[in-house]
Amino acid sequence: MWVWQLALAVGFGIGSAVIPVMNAEAYVVVGGGSGALDPVVAAIGVSVGQTLGKVAMFLAVRYRPGYAKKVAKEPKPVNLDTRRGRFVQWNRDVSKRLLDAMSDRRWGIPVTLLSASVGIPPLYGVALIGGASRMGVLTFGLSTLVGRLARFVTLALGVGLF
């Protein structure tokens, strides 16, 4: 009986990883709270599915066409006297810092764990930035799975109390 629940939850998890309007938390809470699904099985399935979907996004960014041949080109100069120019420069600086942080194990793993378990910063963006960084696929996948399991199993156990 639990096998079909697990398969359904993995499928929903993959969909909710890629399509933001599919809410995995609602799936676990409503499915477990209604008694139609075992909340822990649903949580594990959604966690695995979300991890598969986020790793697919990570790999899509990493192996997009032209990424391997990417040549570092000089960015266009901006006029720092204008508001738009200052914003463009600020955006470039923040993007570079994020890519450098995600490439470093000291920051990449904790940021991914925090994002996967708490949701701040959003895991959707972390998956995209992680794919563009030098972070390893296995490191990203395992930290996402651990964080997602912590999030959804905790939620399922809370639902199981009622």
Side-chain angles (χ1 to χ4, degrees):
M1 172 114 170
W2 61 268
V3 175
W4 71 267
Q5 293 178 3
L6 186 65
L8 186 64
V10 168
F12 190 87
I14 292 171
S16 68
V18 180
I19 303 168
V21 295
M22 293 177 66
N23 193 331
E25 288 83 0
Y27 179 84
V28 172
V29 169
V30 172
S34 68
L37 301 173
D38 180 9
V40 176
V41 172
I44 292 170
V46 167
S47 299
V48 170
Q50 283 247 319
T51 301
L52 291 173
K54 296 301 180 187
V55 168
M57 289 172 52
F58 180 95
L59 292 173
V61 170
R62 169 88 29 106
Y63 297 111
R64 67 187 182 271
Y67 181 73
K69 298 182 287 183
K70 185 178 174 184
V71 177
K73 58 183 176 182
E74 191 66 30
K76 294 179 184 178
V78 293
N79 183 4
L80 296 177
D81 294 333
T82 65
R83 183 177 294 176
R84 183 183 185 289
R86 287 189 301 271
F87 175 75
V88 168
Q89 187 60 44
W90 173 82
N91 191 21
R92 287 179 184 168
D93 293 341
V94 168
S95 297
K96 183 173 180 346
R97 281 191 219 123
L98 285 173
L99 286 173
D100 289 343
M102 288 299 290
S103 299
D104 186 7
R105 281 186 186 260
R106 231 178 357 188
W107 291 103
I109 294 172
V111 166
T112 307
L113 279 170
L114 184 69
S115 177
S117 60
V118 180
I120 297 173
L123 188 57
Y124 198 93
V126 169
L128 299 177
I129 291 171
S133 72
R134 294 183 309 269
M135 182 180 225
V137 178
L138 187 61
T139 303
F140 176 79
L142 287 176
S143 55
T144 301
L145 180 62
V146 168
R148 285 283 139 179
L149 278 170
R151 179 183 184 114
F152 290 124
V153 169
T154 302
L155 187 64
L157 291 176
V159 168
L161 294 175
F162 294 105

